[in-house]
Amino acid sequence: MKYPKDLMNEVLFTRKQIVARAKELAKAIKKDYENKPLTIVCTLKGAVFFFTDLMRYIDNDCNIEFMKASSYIGNTTTSSGQVKLTKIMDFEIKNRDILIVEDIVDTGYTCQEMINFFQENGCNSVKICTLLNKPSRRKVDVDIAYVGFEISDKFVIGYGLDYNEIYRNIPLVGVINPKYIK
Ligand code: IMP
């Protein structure tokens, strides 16, 4: 099935632009964590496309892990504010330097919850790297070390980002046409 032509109002970032930005961020991450074993955590499901772009350019001593974070309920475009975290497989946190890879930071609740989780479990350090940042929607103050792109208060889809679990496989980031929001 193909998605309708008018699904998006606007294309914000093409795959080429995202890969180029991932390369720049990876360079900064490589430098910051030189000689430090690093645990890079991909936040499922949304960050998976960006995560693989990033990882292709990071050749540090690191291991990769996956966590699922959910805060949206059903077909809404706003966070419930209650974040559920699930470790996909058990991994070592104590004394590790952790880098969380996110698709988008909106209210900041998910990042805050993840940072608390890693700190409570004895990590050495924890930082955030996100493809997109919506600072105008922030409800809690979170420090984001690496930002791909800042965007305004628009609901975006594609490149891992969904609306009601669909559209993740669109190979670019665009603003959803409100007529497709139920
Ligand atoms: P936060 O906890 O409000 O910062 O939201 C983080 C999560 O909300 C992200 O990981 C996304 O899954 C989802 N989210 C926030 N804004 C958007 C958007 O514009 N499109 C799709 N998902 C979004």
Side-chain angles (χ1 to χ4, degrees), residues 43-47 69-72 77-81 83 102-112 132 134 137-140 142 151-158 160-163 168 174:
T43 314
L44 297 176
K45 302 172 195 168
S70 38
S71 60
Y72 285 11
T77 55
T78 47
S79 168
S80 66
V83 181
E102 266 284 10
D103 51 355
I104 189 163
V105 183
D106 187 33
T107 61
Y109 289 133
T110 305
C111 284
Q112 188 188 48
L132 303 172
K134 270 194 220 175
R137 299 244 320 150
R138 203 70 93 249
K139 291 272 176 18
V140 284
V142 279
I151 62 167
S152 57
D153 182 9
K154 289 172 175 168
F155 198 81
V156 291
I157 50 169
L161 291 139
D162 72 309
Y163 167 67
R168 291 191 199 272

Side-chain angles (χ1 to χ4, degrees), residues 31-151:
K31 194 162 167 276
D32 294 350
Y33 290 94
E34 228 171 9
N35 308 319
K36 270 192 192 174
L38 176 63
T39 298
I40 308 187
V41 180
C42 173
T43 314
L44 297 176
K45 302 172 195 168
V48 75
F49 288 63
F50 173 55
F51 177 78
T52 56
D53 286 341
L54 204 61
M55 291 312 300
R56 272 183 259 265
Y57 296 109
I58 297 178
D59 57 5
N60 296 42
D61 172 5
C62 66
N63 56 311
I64 62 171
E65 304 295 347
F66 296 88
M67 273 189 90
K68 187 170 171 9
S70 38
S71 60
Y72 285 11
I73 300 168
N75 60 345
T76 73
T77 55
T78 47
S79 168
S80 66
Q82 292 193 328
V83 181
K84 188 170 173 255
L85 294 182
T86 317
K87 250 170 141 189
I88 300 303
M89 270 175 279
D90 201 29
F91 60 92
E92 194 58 45
I93 297 174
K94 208 162 174 48
N95 300 326
R96 297 287 306 182
D97 290 300
I98 309 274
L99 179 68
I100 300 165
V101 179
E102 266 284 10
D103 51 355
I104 189 163
V105 183
D106 187 33
T107 61
Y109 289 133
T110 305
C111 284
Q112 188 188 48
E113 197 69 24
M114 291 188 83
I115 290 169
N116 290 346
F117 171 78
F118 286 115
Q119 285 176 341
E120 281 162 12
N121 284 279
C123 71
N124 184 47
S125 71
V126 56
K127 284 190 187 178
I128 306 279
C129 173
T130 185
L131 171 61
L132 303 172
N133 184 25
K134 270 194 220 175
S136 61
R137 299 244 320 150
R138 203 70 93 249
K139 291 272 176 18
V140 284
D141 191 25
V142 279
D143 185 28
I144 309 170
Y146 311 96
V147 176
F149 305 99
E150 296 220 330
I151 62 167

